[in-house]
Amino acid sequence: EAGVAQSPRYKIIEKRQSVAFWCNPISGHATLYWYQQILGQGPKLLIQFQNNGVVDDSQLPKDRFSAERLKGVDSTLKIQPAKLEDSAVYLCASSSTAKSTYNEQFFGPGTRLTVL
Amino acid sequence: AQSVTQPDIHITVSEGASLELRCNYSYGATPYLFWYVQSPGQGLQLLLKYFSGDTLVQGIKGFEAEFKRSQSSFNLRKPSVHWSDAAEYFCAAAGTASKLTFGTGTRLQVTL
């Protein structure tokens, strides 16, 4: 079974530029998550999708961050314009919606963003 | 507010020595508890999880963790550490909404 795919793996941009990250979840997983992991901190949830609908985006800085999951499969996270404090690893995860106590999240390798 | 605390930022152990990584949580009710490992340039890999039942849970790579309700703790242990265990370890918790809250992580260094 293929895992969660993310691209690019690394990105360096100047502040005020825009950037986009792509995530392809595990086949059949209806739930998709984007996390931000700043150096020295644990991952923080930015947004959660269930199919193509947003479940939780309470910690997404909506003035500069946007995300979409068209057709309920792939997802794109965009930052426009980027700030220095956006330098972080952006992790994508997915989980199934099978009826169980808890649906395990499977993580991709992440995209490391450096904003200069 | 819900939180997960990992008091040790960095731990160094010798190969073959035992390991214990600490984790404390603050939740309204007993959450689901997890330990993840992250190697450089890699995503997070689930080591083990606790939902209910036996308070000592076994995971992959020889790791185990013990849930102690009275101490709100979920410490990770390994009897004998291997050099390949060097990585960042994250404790996490989730309520019924399945939203994960992570600790700040403990970086494990293994000396030969």
Side-chain angles (χ1 to χ4, degrees):
Chain A
E1 177 181 83
V4 177
Q6 291 187 248
S7 67
R9 292 295 309 277
Y10 305 91
K11 190 73 176 179
I12 301 174
I13 61 173
E14 301 279 337
K15 61 183 179 183
R16 291 188 288 275
Q17 286 186 323
S18 63
V19 64
F21 313 127
W22 173 81
C23 173
N24 186 22
I26 292 173
S27 177
H29 280 192
T31 307
L32 185 146
Y33 312 79
W34 283 103
Y35 290 84
Q36 180 191 57
Q37 185 180 12
I38 294 173
L39 185 65
Q41 299 181 21
K44 181 186 79 173
L45 180 68
L46 292 176
I47 189 167
Q48 176 183 346
F49 290 96
Q50 177 86 5
N51 296 307
N52 59 352
V54 175
V55 174
D56 183 350
D57 63 356
S58 57
Q59 298 195 84
L60 185 74
K62 298 180 184 64
D63 58 333
R64 298 183 300 105
F65 286 65
S66 65
E68 60 182 12
R69 191 182 184 199
L70 301 176
K71 301 181 181 179
V73 182
D74 294 6
S75 177
T76 302
L77 177 69
K78 297 180 182 178
I79 307 175
Q80 181 179 8
K83 293 185 175 181
L84 296 177
E85 58 261 36
D86 298 331
S87 294
V89 175
Y90 291 85
L91 295 166
C92 179
S94 69
S95 66
S96 72
T97 53
K99 293 191 175 185
S100 65
T101 305
Y102 179 84
N103 293 307
E104 180 182 343
Q105 295 183 32
F106 295 85
F107 286 82
T111 296
R112 181 176 297 277
L113 174 66
T114 302
V115 182
L116 303 176
Chain B
Q2 299 168 338
S3 65
V4 175
T5 302
Q6 293 180 249
D8 303 306
I9 296 173
H10 184 226
I11 284 182
T12 300
V13 299
S14 301
E15 188 174 42
S18 63
L19 170 70
E20 182 168 26
L21 302 182
R22 297 183 292 165
C23 173
N24 293 94
Y25 64 89
S26 175
Y27 264 70
T30 300
Y32 304 136
L33 295 163
F34 309 83
W35 275 99
Y36 286 86
V37 61
Q38 185 177 38
S39 298
Q42 303 296 315
L44 294 161
Q45 181 183 21
L46 182 65
L47 287 175
L48 48 76
K49 58 183 181 280
Y50 173 77
F51 289 171
S52 64
D54 193 348
T55 57
L56 185 64
V57 293
Q58 302 296 320
I60 62 171
K61 303 185 180 186
F63 285 93
E64 66 179 25
E66 185 172 15
F67 169 66
K68 292 186 177 179
R69 185 189 306 274
S70 61
Q71 299 177 20
S72 296
S73 69
F74 187 57
N75 294 349
L76 182 71
R77 300 195 295 246
K78 187 170 185 178
S80 177
V81 170
H82 188 262
W83 64 266
S84 60
D85 293 325
E88 186 103 25
Y89 291 80
F90 291 94
C91 182
T96 54
S98 300
K99 179 178 177 179
L100 280 172
T101 298
F102 287 87
T104 51
T106 297
R107 178 164 298 279
L108 173 65
Q109 182 177 358
V110 180
T111 58
L112 301 177

